[in-house]
Amino acid sequence: MIGRAIGMPAKAKILRIARRIGLLAALAIATVSTAAFASQQPILAFAARVAGDDARTRVVIDFEQKPDFVIHYVDGPERIIVDLSASAFGFPAGDLAPRGLFKDIRYGTMGSDSARMVFTVNRPVKLVMAEVQKNEERGFRLVLDAEMTTKEQFATILKSQDWNTSAAVLPQDVGPVVEDGVFTVAVDAGHGGIDAGASGATTKTPEKTVTLDFARLLAERLNKVDGVKAFLTREEDTFLSLSQRVTIARQKHADLFISLHADTLAQKDIRGATIYTLSDKASDRMAENLAARENLSDQLAGFSIDSGPPEVADILLDLTRRETQAFSVALADNVVKSFEGQVGLINNPHRQANFQVLRAPDIPSVLLEMGFLSNPEDEKLLLDEGWRAKVAALVADAVDRYRRRSVANGG
Ligand SMILES: [Zn+2]
């Protein structure tokens, strides 16, 4: 069918194809009324791009003039529909190739006075931002920020939207809230699902099982502390990308993020616990190698790591990062203090490296290597219930000491 269009002037051809796609989209959702926009000449959408990953994805479309838009959510399959004032889509289709949370992106005209974009999603999502901003150079840009959400929240959005007005854009959930009186801790069991992590030297027990068993114990122990509420980023043997782990922590307003691991090393005699905090520059070669290996997790499961979540260069964000960093270091020091004389530690037990999973700009985060599955003695301890209970109690003590100090300092 497209073959027949060859020979037409390029712009007319693009419009024709776009209209056909638009009609298909309209057929698929025929029961849905389109938003009414004032009749006008189509605005040229001259550029578009998609960035982000399977936890947060941003779409940006550049227009010659300021477009009006209305957002709706649709079910079966789950989609976000953006109705626009009359638009002509003049950018190459490849620029909006689906990625991240979106598995299909379509767009086209809807008659003479409106256009529509349809984003089919991989999993329930919500828009945390949808606005038109002025470009420095040319025209305006429509920015849509989507974030992963739960089935329940998606259903709530569906039910609460009014088809005569734009659906609500839910503000992004933001970080530490000690003020609510509850100190929330995200306990992150490393690996899971297709990503088994390391495996035990003797028993071959996968790291993903060791971390989940300990995570459950630690969350239980933390929940016994007055004023502390812990939750697990994953409760089963399921795969979560690194960005999803961080996003879940942010959405649940975590005040602290603890990622649990038990990796292997080529030097099998090395044993003991290590506490890592984030740094662009690794403290040593071992830390650097471990972080590089952990960061491969997304690739293992077939996720691309060529671009992280959309981020804004921002002085405030930099300040937040620095403050968060100081808190992370304070927590790491507390854990080391708790462990000293009680739990085996490696030399220089507080180390730094560039772990993707520690990158939340506003949640103090540490990664605890409880021990090494490559070392038979460590492996025995990691599988020992008594040892795990003792370590969980010591980590909970460290968290509680840290919390008391942060509350005393006003947050
Ligand atoms: Zn690991």
Side-chain angles (χ1 to χ4, degrees), residues 190-191 197-198 207 260-263 294 369:
H191 310 277
E207 183 184 356
L260 300 164
H261 287 263
D263 283 280
E294 289 301 339
E369 286 280 359

Side-chain angles (χ1 to χ4, degrees), residues 44 103 204-205 223 237 375 382:
L44 177 68
K103 65 176 173 201
K204 303 284 175 250
T205 309
N223 279 324
D237 181 17
N375 179 279
L382 286 161

Side-chain angles (χ1 to χ4, degrees), residues 198-215:
S199 77
T202 314
T203 63
K204 303 284 175 250
T205 309
E207 183 184 356
K208 64 176 181 178
T209 309
V210 174
T211 59
L212 184 57
D213 287 348
F214 185 80

Side-chain angles (χ1 to χ4, degrees), residues 81-116:
I81 293 178
V82 181
D83 280 321
L84 292 155
S85 34
S87 310
F89 297 95
F91 49 82
D95 291 358
L96 279 191
R99 65 171 295 157
L101 289 163
F102 303 122
K103 65 176 173 201
D104 187 55
I105 302 176
R106 286 167 192 239
Y107 46 90
T109 55
M110 299 281 289
S112 59
D113 53 10
S114 69
R116 171 168 285 184

Side-chain angles (χ1 to χ4, degrees), residues 9 18 23 28 34 36 45 121 136 148 166 199 206 210 276 316 344 351 359 389:
L23 283 176
T34 59
V121 299
E136 302 247 312
M148 65 189 281
S166 198
S199 77
V210 174
Y276 288 98
L316 271 177
R351 300 186 180 213
R359 293 204 76 89

